[in-house]
Amino acid sequence: DGSSKFAKDYRWGFFPSLSAGWRLSEENFMSSYKQRVGDLKVRGSYGVLGNQNVDDYSYFTTYSVYTNSYGFNNEAVSGTGFSFGNSELQWEQSANFNIGADATFFHNKFFVSLDYFNKVTSQILLTPEVPTVFGGGVAKENAGKMRNQVWEATLGYRVKTGAFKHNISFNMADSKNE
């Protein structure tokens, strides 16, 4: 992907992704399992996303004129302010990994879904805090990194009794963020 929000040397980013699943219960060696128990599938994915959430041309230092902002010699005069640019701004990147399994039992009446997610966001675009006496705004910079890990389990039961369909599910998950 390309973005004019970054300087020429950092304008382009490469963000691939891949996803695959294998429905084991469709294989010949699992035919008796499918007939007697249910379905079984494993799946996984990996992908990188890019974020360009910065103002246009943030790699340039910009100056602004403010009319009537100061008093000088008993008259209002114009002043200027500035915002520093950062010519080394780059894409924020988020790498996402997921692996999971889905299984059904009792002829597809009871189902289980298990997942593990790992997301690492690097080069996070942040604006540093500076004292107001600095006199202007500072540019965003690629200064942060964050990791999120999550596991999730879903159990469910579905059955049809006459004209009624019953679905009961239980979901449990835990996440860790640093």
Side-chain angles (χ1 to χ4, degrees):
D1 202 355
S3 174
S4 62
K5 293 185 173 194
F6 302 113
K8 184 173 77 171
D9 293 342
Y10 302 105
R11 191 159 287 166
W12 297 96
F14 180 63
F15 309 109
S17 63
L18 173 69
S19 176
W22 183 18
R23 195 160 186 175
L24 290 159
S25 56
E26 293 297 319
E27 300 293 337
N28 289 335
F29 65 87
M30 295 287 287
S31 61
S32 65
Y33 176 87
K34 184 175 181 178
Q35 291 172 356
R36 294 179 186 163
V37 180
D39 288 321
L40 181 61
K41 177 182 177 181
V42 293
R43 54 190 160 68
S45 65
Y46 177 80
V48 179
L49 299 172
N51 177 14
Q52 60 166 345
N53 192 19
V54 294
D55 293 333
D56 294 334
Y57 309 109
S58 291
Y59 54 93
F60 288 126
T61 296
T62 57
Y63 297 90
S64 304
V65 176
Y66 303 106
T67 58
N68 301 326
S69 51
Y70 299 103
F72 183 75
N73 222 10
N74 290 328
E75 289 190 32
V77 295
S78 300
T80 60
F82 61 93
S83 293
F84 281 115
N86 181 350
S87 62
E88 296 181 2
L89 275 181
Q90 300 178 31
W91 289 86
E92 181 179 295
Q93 295 186 15
S94 180
N96 300 283
F97 171 75
N98 169 245
I99 191 165
D102 300 313
T104 62
F105 304 94
F106 309 115
H107 302 287
N108 297 325
K109 292 179 182 174
F110 182 72
F111 63 90
V112 175
S113 181
L114 304 171
D115 278 289
Y116 170 76
F117 302 94
N118 186 25
K119 178 181 177 182
V120 177
T121 305
S122 58
Q123 303 285 1
I124 296 176
L125 297 162
L126 298 171
T127 303
E129 294 291 326
V130 295
T132 55
V133 296
F134 183 69
V138 293
K140 285 193 176 192
E141 58 184 56
N142 298 96
K145 185 173 184 176
M146 182 170 44
R147 181 177 183 179
N148 296 304
Q149 293 177 293
V150 178
W151 64 264
E152 180 178 20
T154 302
L155 307 172
Y157 183 74
R158 53 184 164 231
V159 66
K160 184 175 179 182
T161 307
F164 294 101
K165 293 181 182 178
H166 307 279
N167 292 311
I168 299 170
S169 304
F170 174 75
N171 182 279
M172 185 169 48
D174 187 32
S175 64
K176 180 181 177 184
N177 178 293
E178 58 184 80

Coordinates of all heavy atoms in Angstrom, one line a residue, residues 91-157:
W91 N 4.5 3.6 8.7 CA 3.2 2.9 8.9 C 3.2 2.3 10.3 O 4.2 1.6 10.7 CB 3.0 1.8 7.8 CG 2.7 2.3 6.5 CD1 3.7 2.6 5.5 CD2 1.5 2.4 5.9 NE1 3.0 3.0 4.4 CE2 1.7 2.9 4.5 CE3 0.2 2.3 6.3 CZ2 0.6 3.1 3.7 CZ3 -0.9 2.5 5.4 CH2 -0.6 2.9 4.1
E92 N 2.1 2.4 11.0 CA 1.9 1.6 12.1 C 1.5 0.2 11.6 O 0.7 0.1 10.7 CB 0.7 2.2 12.9 CG 0.4 1.5 14.2 CD -0.8 2.2 14.9 OE1 -0.6 3.4 15.4 OE2 -1.9 1.7 15.0
Q93 N 2.0 -0.8 12.3 CA 1.7 -2.2 11.8 C 1.1 -3.0 12.9 O 1.6 -3.0 14.0 CB 3.0 -2.8 11.3 CG 3.6 -2.1 10.1 CD 4.8 -2.9 9.5 OE1 5.0 -4.0 9.8 NE2 5.5 -2.2 8.6
S94 N 0.1 -3.8 12.5 CA -0.5 -4.7 13.4 C -0.5 -6.1 12.8 O -1.1 -6.4 11.8 CB -2.0 -4.2 13.6 OG -2.6 -5.1 14.5
A95 N 0.3 -7.0 13.5 CA 0.4 -8.4 13.0 C -0.6 -9.2 13.8 O -0.6 -9.2 15.1 CB 1.8 -8.9 13.2
N96 N -1.5 -9.9 13.1 CA -2.5 -10.7 13.8 C -2.4 -12.2 13.5 O -2.3 -12.6 12.3 CB -3.9 -10.3 13.3 CG -4.2 -8.8 13.6 OD1 -4.5 -8.5 14.7 ND2 -4.0 -8.0 12.6
F97 N -2.4 -13.0 14.5 CA -2.3 -14.5 14.4 C -3.5 -15.1 15.1 O -3.9 -14.7 16.2 CB -1.0 -15.0 15.0 CG -0.9 -16.5 15.1 CD1 -0.7 -17.2 14.0 CD2 -1.1 -17.1 16.3 CE1 -0.6 -18.6 14.1 CE2 -1.0 -18.5 16.4 CZ -0.8 -19.2 15.3
N98 N -4.1 -16.1 14.5 CA -5.3 -16.8 15.1 C -5.2 -18.3 14.7 O -4.8 -18.6 13.6 CB -6.6 -16.2 14.5 CG -7.8 -17.1 14.9 OD1 -8.4 -17.6 14.0 ND2 -8.1 -17.2 16.2
I99 N -5.4 -19.1 15.7 CA -5.5 -20.5 15.4 C -6.7 -21.0 16.2 O -7.0 -20.5 17.3 CB -4.2 -21.3 15.9 CG1 -4.3 -22.7 15.3 CG2 -4.0 -21.2 17.3 CD1 -2.9 -23.4 15.4
G100 N -7.5 -22.0 15.6 CA -8.7 -22.4 16.2 C -9.1 -23.8 15.7 O -8.6 -24.3 14.8
A101 N -10.1 -24.3 16.4 CA -10.7 -25.6 16.1 C -12.2 -25.6 16.4 O -12.6 -24.9 17.3 CB -10.0 -26.7 16.9
D102 N -12.9 -26.2 15.5 CA -14.4 -26.3 15.7 C -14.7 -27.8 15.6 O -14.2 -28.6 14.7 CB -15.1 -25.6 14.5 CG -14.8 -24.1 14.5 OD1 -14.8 -23.5 15.5 OD2 -14.5 -23.6 13.4
A103 N -15.5 -28.3 16.5 CA -15.9 -29.7 16.5 C -17.4 -29.8 16.9 O -17.9 -29.0 17.7 CB -15.1 -30.5 17.5
T104 N -18.1 -30.8 16.4 CA -19.4 -31.1 16.8 C -19.5 -32.5 17.3 O -18.7 -33.4 16.8 CB -20.5 -30.9 15.7 OG1 -20.2 -31.8 14.6 CG2 -20.4 -29.4 15.2
F105 N -20.4 -32.8 18.2 CA -20.6 -34.1 18.7 C -22.0 -34.5 18.8 O -22.9 -33.6 18.6 CB -20.0 -34.2 20.2 CG -18.5 -33.8 20.2 CD1 -18.2 -32.4 20.5 CD2 -17.5 -34.7 20.0 CE1 -16.9 -32.0 20.6 CE2 -16.2 -34.3 20.1 CZ -15.9 -33.0 20.4
F106 N -22.3 -35.8 19.0 CA -23.7 -36.2 19.1 C -24.5 -35.8 17.8 O -25.6 -35.2 17.9 CB -24.4 -35.8 20.4 CG -23.6 -36.1 21.6 CD1 -23.1 -35.0 22.4 CD2 -23.4 -37.4 22.0 CE1 -22.4 -35.3 23.5 CE2 -22.6 -37.6 23.1 CZ -22.1 -36.6 23.9
H107 N -24.0 -36.1 16.7 CA -24.6 -35.8 15.4 C -24.9 -34.3 15.3 O -26.1 -34.0 14.9 CB -25.8 -36.7 15.2 CG -25.5 -38.2 15.2 ND1 -24.8 -38.8 14.2 CD2 -25.7 -39.1 16.2 CE1 -24.7 -40.1 14.5 NE2 -25.2 -40.3 15.7
N108 N -24.0 -33.5 15.5 CA -24.0 -32.1 15.4 C -24.9 -31.4 16.4 O -25.3 -30.2 16.2 CB -24.4 -31.7 13.9 CG -23.4 -32.1 12.9 OD1 -22.2 -32.1 13.2 ND2 -23.8 -32.5 11.8
K109 N -25.3 -32.0 17.5 CA -26.1 -31.4 18.5 C -25.3 -30.5 19.5 O -25.8 -29.5 20.0 CB -27.0 -32.4 19.2 CG -28.0 -33.0 18.4 CD -28.8 -34.1 19.1 CE -29.8 -34.7 18.2 NZ -30.5 -35.8 18.9
F110 N -24.1 -31.0 19.8 CA -23.2 -30.3 20.7 C -22.0 -29.8 20.0 O -21.4 -30.5 19.2 CB -22.8 -31.3 21.8 CG -21.9 -30.7 22.9 CD1 -22.5 -29.8 23.8 CD2 -20.6 -30.9 23.0 CE1 -21.7 -29.2 24.8 CE2 -19.8 -30.4 23.9 CZ -20.3 -29.5 24.8
F111 N -21.7 -28.5 20.1 CA -20.5 -28.0 19.4 C -19.5 -27.3 20.3 O -19.9 -26.8 21.4 CB -21.0 -27.0 18.3 CG -21.7 -25.8 18.7 CD1 -21.0 -24.6 19.0 CD2 -23.1 -25.8 18.9 CE1 -21.6 -23.5 19.4 CE2 -23.7 -24.6 19.3 CZ -23.0 -23.5 19.5
V112 N -18.3 -27.3 19.9 CA -17.2 -26.7 20.7 C -16.4 -25.9 19.7 O -16.1 -26.4 18.6 CB -16.3 -27.7 21.4 CG1 -15.1 -27.1 22.0 CG2 -17.1 -28.6 22.3
S113 N -16.0 -24.7 20.1 CA -15.2 -23.8 19.3 C -14.1 -23.3 20.2 O -14.4 -22.7 21.2 CB -16.0 -22.7 18.6 OG -15.1 -21.9 17.8
L114 N -12.8 -23.5 19.8 CA -11.7 -23.0 20.6 C -10.8 -22.1 19.7 O -10.6 -22.4 18.6 CB -10.8 -24.2 21.1 CG -11.5 -25.2 21.9 CD1 -10.6 -26.4 22.1 CD2 -12.0 -24.7 23.2
D115 N -10.4 -20.9 20.3 CA -9.6 -20.0 19.5 C -8.5 -19.4 20.4 O -8.7 -19.2 21.6 CB -10.5 -18.8 19.1 CG -11.2 -19.1 17.8 OD1 -10.6 -19.2 16.8 OD2 -12.5 -19.3 17.9
Y116 N -7.4 -19.1 19.8 CA -6.3 -18.4 20.4 C -5.9 -17.2 19.4 O -5.7 -17.5 18.2 CB -5.1 -19.3 20.6 CG -3.9 -18.5 21.0 CD1 -3.7 -17.9 22.3 CD2 -2.8 -18.2 20.2 CE1 -2.6 -17.2 22.7 CE2 -1.7 -17.5 20.5 CZ -1.6 -17.0 21.8 OH -0.5 -16.3 22.2
F117 N -5.9 -16.0 19.9 CA -5.5 -14.8 19.1 C -4.2 -14.2 19.7 O -4.1 -14.1 20.9 CB -6.6 -13.8 19.2 CG -7.9 -14.2 18.7 CD1 -8.9 -14.7 19.6 CD2 -8.2 -14.2 17.3 CE1 -10.1 -15.1 19.2 CE2 -9.5 -14.6 16.9 CZ -10.4 -15.0 17.8
N118 N -3.4 -13.7 18.9 CA -2.2 -13.0 19.3 C -2.0 -11.8 18.3 O -1.9 -12.0 17.1 CB -0.9 -13.9 19.3 CG 0.3 -13.2 19.8 OD1 0.1 -12.3 20.7 ND2 1.5 -13.6 19.4
K119 N -2.1 -10.6 18.8 CA -2.0 -9.4 18.0 C -0.9 -8.5 18.6 O -0.9 -8.2 19.7 CB -3.3 -8.6 18.0 CG -3.3 -7.4 17.3 CD -4.7 -6.7 17.4 CE -4.7 -5.3 16.7 NZ -5.9 -4.7 16.8
V120 N 0.1 -8.2 17.7 CA 1.2 -7.4 18.1 C 1.2 -6.1 17.2 O 1.3 -6.2 16.0 CB 2.6 -8.1 18.0 CG1 3.7 -7.1 18.3 CG2 2.6 -9.3 18.8
T121 N 0.9 -5.0 17.8 CA 0.9 -3.7 17.1 C 2.2 -3.0 17.4 O 2.6 -2.8 18.6 CB -0.3 -2.8 17.5 OG1 -1.5 -3.6 17.3 CG2 -0.3 -1.6 16.7
S122 N 3.0 -2.7 16.4 CA 4.3 -2.0 16.5 C 4.3 -0.7 15.7 O 3.4 -0.5 14.9 CB 5.4 -2.9 16.1 OG 5.3 -3.3 14.8
Q123 N 5.3 0.1 16.0 CA 5.4 1.4 15.4 C 4.1 2.3 15.6 O 3.7 3.0 14.7 CB 5.6 1.3 13.8 CG 6.8 0.4 13.5 CD 8.1 1.2 13.7 OE1 8.2 2.3 14.1 NE2 9.2 0.5 13.4
I124 N 3.5 2.2 16.8 CA 2.3 2.9 17.1 C 2.6 4.4 17.0 O 3.5 4.9 17.5 CB 1.7 2.5 18.5 CG1 1.3 1.1 18.5 CG2 0.5 3.4 18.8 CD1 0.9 0.6 19.8
L125 N 1.7 5.1 16.3 CA 1.8 6.5 16.0 C 1.3 7.3 17.3 O 0.1 7.2 17.6 CB 1.0 6.9 14.8 CG 1.5 6.3 13.5 CD1 0.5 6.3 12.4 CD2 2.8 6.9 13.0
L126 N 2.2 7.9 18.0 CA 1.8 8.7 19.2 C 2.4 10.1 19.1 O 3.4 10.4 18.5 CB 2.5 8.0 20.4 CG 2.0 6.6 20.7 CD1 2.9 6.0 21.8 CD2 0.6 6.5 21.1
T127 N 1.7 11.0 19.8 CA 2.1 12.4 19.9 C 2.7 12.6 21.3 O 2.1 12.4 22.3 CB 1.0 13.4 19.7 OG1 0.4 13.1 18.4 CG2 1.5 14.8 19.7
P128 N 4.0 12.9 21.3 CA 4.7 13.1 22.6 C 4.1 14.3 23.4 O 3.7 15.3 22.8 CB 6.1 13.3 22.3 CG 6.3 12.9 20.9 CD 5.0 13.0 20.2
E129 N 4.0 14.2 24.7 CA 3.5 15.3 25.5 C 4.7 16.2 25.8 O 5.8 15.7 26.3 CB 2.9 14.8 26.8 CG 1.6 14.0 26.6 CD 0.5 14.9 26.2 OE1 0.4 16.1 26.6 OE2 -0.3 14.4 25.4
V130 N 4.6 17.5 25.6 CA 5.6 18.4 25.9 C 5.0 19.6 26.7 O 3.8 19.9 26.6 CB 6.4 19.0 24.6 CG1 7.1 17.9 23.9 CG2 5.4 19.7 23.7
P131 N 5.8 20.3 27.5 CA 5.3 21.4 28.2 C 4.8 22.5 27.2 O 5.4 22.7 26.2 CB 6.4 21.9 29.0 CG 7.5 20.9 29.0 CD 7.2 20.1 27.8
T132 N 3.8 23.3 27.6 CA 3.3 24.4 26.8 C 4.3 25.5 26.5 O 4.2 26.2 25.5 CB 2.0 25.0 27.4 OG1 2.3 25.4 28.7 CG2 0.9 24.0 27.4
V133 N 5.3 25.6 27.4 CA 6.3 26.6 27.2 C 7.2 26.3 26.0 O 8.0 27.1 25.5 CB 7.2 26.8 28.4 CG1 6.4 27.4 29.6 CG2 8.0 25.5 28.8
F134 N 7.1 25.1 25.4 CA 7.8 24.7 24.3 C 7.5 25.6 23.1 O 8.4 25.9 22.3 CB 7.5 23.2 23.9 CG 8.3 22.7 22.7 CD1 9.6 22.5 22.8 CD2 7.6 22.4 21.5 CE1 10.3 21.9 21.8 CE2 8.3 21.9 20.5 CZ 9.7 21.7 20.6
G135 N 6.3 26.1 23.0 CA 5.9 27.1 22.0 C 5.4 26.6 20.7 O 5.1 27.3 19.8
G136 N 5.2 25.3 20.5 CA 4.6 24.8 19.3 C 4.3 23.3 19.5 O 4.6 22.7 20.5
G137 N 3.6 22.7 18.5 CA 3.3 21.3 18.6 C 4.4 20.5 18.1 O 5.2 20.9 17.2
V138 N 4.5 19.3 18.6 CA 5.5 18.3 18.2 C 4.8 17.3 17.3 O 3.6 17.1 17.3 CB 6.2 17.6 19.3 CG1 7.0 18.6 20.1 CG2 5.2 16.9 20.2
A139 N 5.6 16.7 16.4 CA 5.1 15.7 15.5 C 4.9 14.4 16.1 O 5.5 14.0 17.1 CB 6.1 15.6 14.3
K140 N 4.0 13.6 15.5 CA 3.8 12.3 15.9 C 5.0 11.5 15.6 O 5.8 11.9 14.8 CB 2.6 11.6 15.1 CG 1.2 12.1 15.6 CD 0.1 11.3 15.1 CE -1.2 11.7 15.6 NZ -2.3 10.8 15.4
E141 N 5.2 10.4 16.3 CA 6.3 9.5 16.1 C 5.9 8.1 16.3 O 4.9 7.8 16.9 CB 7.5 9.9 17.0 CG 7.2 9.8 18.5 CD 8.4 10.3 19.3 OE1 8.9 11.4 19.1 OE2 8.8 9.5 20.2
N142 N 6.7 7.2 15.7 CA 6.4 5.8 15.9 C 7.1 5.3 17.2 O 8.2 4.9 17.2 CB 7.0 5.0 14.7 CG 6.4 5.4 13.4 OD1 6.9 6.2 12.6 ND2 5.2 4.8 13.1
A143 N 6.3 5.4 18.3 CA 6.9 5.2 19.6 C 6.3 4.1 20.4 O 6.8 3.9 21.5 CB 6.8 6.6 20.4
G144 N 5.3 3.4 20.0 CA 4.7 2.5 20.9 C 4.6 1.1 20.3 O 4.8 0.8 19.1
K145 N 4.4 0.1 21.2 CA 4.2 -1.3 20.9 C 3.3 -1.9 21.9 O 3.3 -1.6 23.1 CB 5.6 -2.0 20.9 CG 5.5 -3.4 20.4 CD 6.9 -4.1 20.3 CE 6.7 -5.5 19.7 NZ 8.1 -6.1 19.5
M146 N 2.4 -2.7 21.4 CA 1.4 -3.3 22.3 C 1.1 -4.8 21.8 O 1.1 -5.1 20.6 CB 0.1 -2.5 22.2 CG -1.0 -3.1 23.1 SD -2.5 -2.0 23.4 CE -2.8 -1.5 21.7
R147 N 0.9 -5.6 22.8 CA 0.6 -7.0 22.5 C -0.7 -7.4 23.2 O -0.9 -7.2 24.4 CB 1.7 -7.9 22.9 CG 1.5 -9.4 22.7 CD 2.7 -10.2 23.1 NE 2.5 -11.6 22.7 CZ 3.3 -12.6 22.9 NH1 4.5 -12.3 23.5 NH2 3.0 -13.8 22.6
N148 N -1.6 -8.0 22.4 CA -2.9 -8.6 23.0 C -2.9 -10.1 22.7 O -2.7 -10.5 21.6 CB -4.1 -7.9 22.3 CG -4.2 -6.5 22.5 OD1 -4.2 -6.0 23.7 ND2 -4.2 -5.7 21.5
Q149 N -3.2 -10.8 23.8 CA -3.3 -12.3 23.6 C -4.7 -12.6 24.2 O -5.1 -12.2 25.3 CB -2.3 -13.0 24.4 CG -0.9 -12.9 23.8 CD 0.1 -13.6 24.7 OE1 0.4 -13.2 25.8 NE2 0.7 -14.6 24.1
V150 N -5.4 -13.4 23.5 CA -6.8 -13.8 23.9 C -7.0 -15.3 23.6 O -6.6 -15.8 22.5 CB -7.9 -13.0 23.1 CG1 -9.3 -13.4 23.5 CG2 -7.7 -11.5 23.3
W151 N -7.6 -16.0 24.5 CA -8.1 -17.3 24.2 C -9.7 -17.3 24.5 O -10.2 -16.5 25.3 CB -7.5 -18.4 25.0 CG -7.7 -18.3 26.5 CD1 -6.9 -17.8 27.4 CD2 -8.8 -18.8 27.2 NE1 -7.4 -17.9 28.7 CE2 -8.6 -18.5 28.6 CE3 -10.0 -19.5 26.9 CZ2 -9.5 -18.8 29.6 CZ3 -10.9 -19.8 27.9 CH2 -10.7 -19.5 29.2
E152 N -10.4 -18.1 23.7 CA -11.8 -18.1 23.8 C -12.3 -19.5 23.6 O -11.8 -20.2 22.8 CB -12.4 -17.2 22.8 CG -13.9 -17.1 22.8 CD -14.4 -16.1 21.7 OE1 -13.7 -15.7 20.8 OE2 -15.6 -15.7 21.9
A153 N -13.3 -19.9 24.4 CA -14.0 -21.2 24.2 C -15.5 -21.0 24.2 O -16.0 -20.2 25.0 CB -13.6 -22.1 25.4
T154 N -16.1 -21.6 23.2 CA -17.6 -21.6 23.1 C -18.1 -23.0 23.1 O -17.6 -23.8 22.3 CB -18.0 -20.9 21.8 OG1 -17.5 -19.5 21.8 CG2 -19.5 -20.8 21.8
L155 N -19.1 -23.3 24.0 CA -19.7 -24.6 24.0 C -21.2 -24.3 23.7 O -21.8 -23.3 24.2 CB -19.6 -25.2 25.4 CG -18.2 -25.4 25.9 CD1 -18.2 -25.8 27.4 CD2 -17.4 -26.3 25.1
G156 N -21.8 -25.2 23.0 CA -23.2 -25.0 22.7 C -23.9 -26.3 22.4 O -23.4 -27.3 22.1
Y157 N -25.2 -26.2 22.6 CA -26.1 -27.3 22.4 C -27.3 -26.8 21.6 O -27.9 -25.8 21.9 CB -26.5 -27.9 23.7 CG -27.4 -29.1 23.6 CD1 -26.8 -30.4 23.2 CD2 -28.8 -29.1 23.9 CE1 -27.6 -31.5 23.1 CE2 -29.5 -30.2 23.8 CZ -29.0 -31.4 23.4 OH -29.7 -32.5 23.3

